[in-house]
Amino acid sequence: MMELGMIGLGKMGANMTERLVEAGHDVVGFDLDPEAVARVVAGGARGSSSVEDLAGQLAAPRHVWIMVPHGAPVDRTMEALLPSLEPGDTIIDGGNSYYRDTLRRAKTCAATGHHLVDCGTSGGIWGRTEGYSMMVGGDEEPVERMRPIFEALAPSPDTGWGRVGPTGAGHFVKMIHNGIEYGLMQAYAEGFAILAAKDEFDLDLAGVARIWQHGSVVRSWLLDLTTTALEENPQMAGVAPYVPDSGEGRWTVFESIDLDVAAPIIGLSLMRRIGSRDEVEFSDRLLSAMRNRFGGHAVRRVD
């Protein structure tokens, strides 16, 4: 069994810690929120008061998994952590970092003799029980050394994870994975919206979804989750039509442009998410005004 440091004990980091502890691994946790540390300690992990304290509790070669939001939080965490590590130690970034940031950080680590392994991690809140899908990038030696950790977190030791390439490749593959996810979600949402609009058939959307769950070419885990959502709230009552994005879809579209690879579905699904946040809907208002100007069509007024 392995010893691992886990920095970032939000819902996903805490769930991963619990899964590792249950598998017999020795995990030392740290979070800026002391209550988060206390919760994982209650579950069998060891706690720490700082990243320096966490590193001090680990035997060389150290393995420290970072599970914090992408961007500046990752940079700040690594800046605080690196002085407490020794050459040969490994940092694993399990968040949704932009792969170009990962390549930059890998150069910093290499200059001081440290390994950076990037692990694109999918599974969300269900990974705790179902296992996580992990797309791993990094040098072969540290990835192989980490095998017991990946096997414990995956759905099974031989499924749901693998080294996809050198450092940066893991986050790149996860970025594309999330871009595909945008398109799948948008297709399901649009299809069920059309079904809901057909008033004359009074369709039971959850019932339709249950049929599609078995034997249909569109069956999927995402459809299973959609079915549950429709069963619990058929009219989506109280749900605001506001869909955020955490960056991966944008990065996927940027990459498709850089590589001259057409990706209209992913691009349009991203635009739809962005459009959902436009409370003023200026473009639609302007369209209505233009239609009135050239065709004399009525403009619906609002207070």
Side-chain angles (χ1 to χ4, degrees):
M1 293 296 132
M2 286 192 66
E3 186 180 58
L4 179 75
M6 178 69 74
I7 298 177
L9 301 174
K11 186 170 292 185
M12 198 162 176
N15 286 345
M16 295 173 78
T17 297
E18 290 177 8
R19 189 174 174 94
L20 289 169
V21 169
E22 286 184 1
H25 295 288
D26 182 12
V27 183
V28 182
F30 171 72
D31 194 277
L32 294 175
D33 179 6
E35 293 185 3
V37 177
R39 284 192 291 270
V40 299
V41 169
R46 285 188 280 151
S48 59
S49 58
S50 65
V51 294
E52 295 83 3
D53 179 32
L54 178 143
Q57 294 190 48
L58 300 173
R62 299 168 183 81
H63 303 84
V64 182
W65 192 299
I66 297 174
M67 210 64 191
V68 301
H70 68 78
V74 176
D75 288 320
R76 288 195 296 267
T77 302
M78 289 184 62
E79 288 169 3
L81 177 63
L82 280 171
S84 299
L85 300 183
E86 299 175 3
D89 292 348
T90 300
I91 297 174
I92 307 94
D93 181 1
N96 285 325
S97 290
Y98 187 30
Y99 83 97
R100 295 184 187 272
D101 289 339
T102 301
L103 293 174
R104 169 178 56 80
R105 293 169 185 140
K107 290 181 180 179
T108 300
C109 289
T112 52
H114 303 107
H115 300 288
L116 178 62
V117 170
D118 54 305
C119 180
T121 310
S122 181
I125 60 175
W126 295 96
R128 171 69 181 82
T129 55
E130 303 295 325
Y132 296 91
S133 175
M134 292 169 289
M135 298 135 264
V136 185
D139 294 337
E140 291 186 21
E141 190 274 329
V143 171
E144 186 60 29
R145 198 175 345 125
M146 291 281 298
R147 174 178 287 273
I149 297 297
F150 297 129
E151 290 180 343
L153 290 172
S156 77
D158 300 321
T159 62
W161 80 277
R163 177 181 178 270
V164 297
T167 304
H171 283 151
F172 181 82
V173 172
K174 178 57 162 55
M175 177 183 74
I176 304 306
H177 164 282
N178 282 26
I180 293 171
E181 179 185 288
Y182 279 39
L184 291 172
M185 292 175 68
Q186 187 64 32
Y188 279 126
E190 291 177 6
F192 280 103
I194 296 170
L195 293 173
K198 195 64 172 175
D199 294 333
E200 64 189 270
F201 289 154
D202 191 25
L203 296 170
D204 175 2
L205 301 189
V208 172
R210 285 191 291 270
I211 294 171
W212 288 354
Q213 283 181 287
H214 305 281
S216 168
V217 71
V218 301
R219 66 186 183 275
S220 69
W221 182 49
L222 181 56
L223 178 61
D224 295 342
L225 299 176
T226 303
T227 304
T228 301
L230 289 169
E231 288 172 341
E232 294 178 352
N233 189 355
Q235 304 301 322
M236 295 294 106
V239 179
Y242 182 103
V243 187
D245 75 281
S246 54
E248 296 88 345
R250 296 176 185 234
W251 301 336
T252 300
V253 172
F254 297 159
E255 200 67 27
S256 74
I257 294 170
D258 287 345
L259 296 174
D260 285 332
V261 176
I265 301 302
I266 296 174
L268 288 173
S269 66
L270 172 63
M271 291 301 106
R272 185 67 186 87
R273 289 194 181 198
I274 293 173
S276 74
R277 304 164 213 163
D278 184 4
E279 296 181 2
V280 177
E281 298 174 346
F282 180 84
S283 62
D284 290 342
R285 293 170 188 256
L286 183 56
L287 282 172
S288 180
M290 285 190 285
R291 191 166 178 264
N292 171 260
R293 290 293 177 179
F294 71 73
H297 303 286
V299 173
R300 183 176 296 181
R301 301 293 178 180
V302 294
D303 294 333

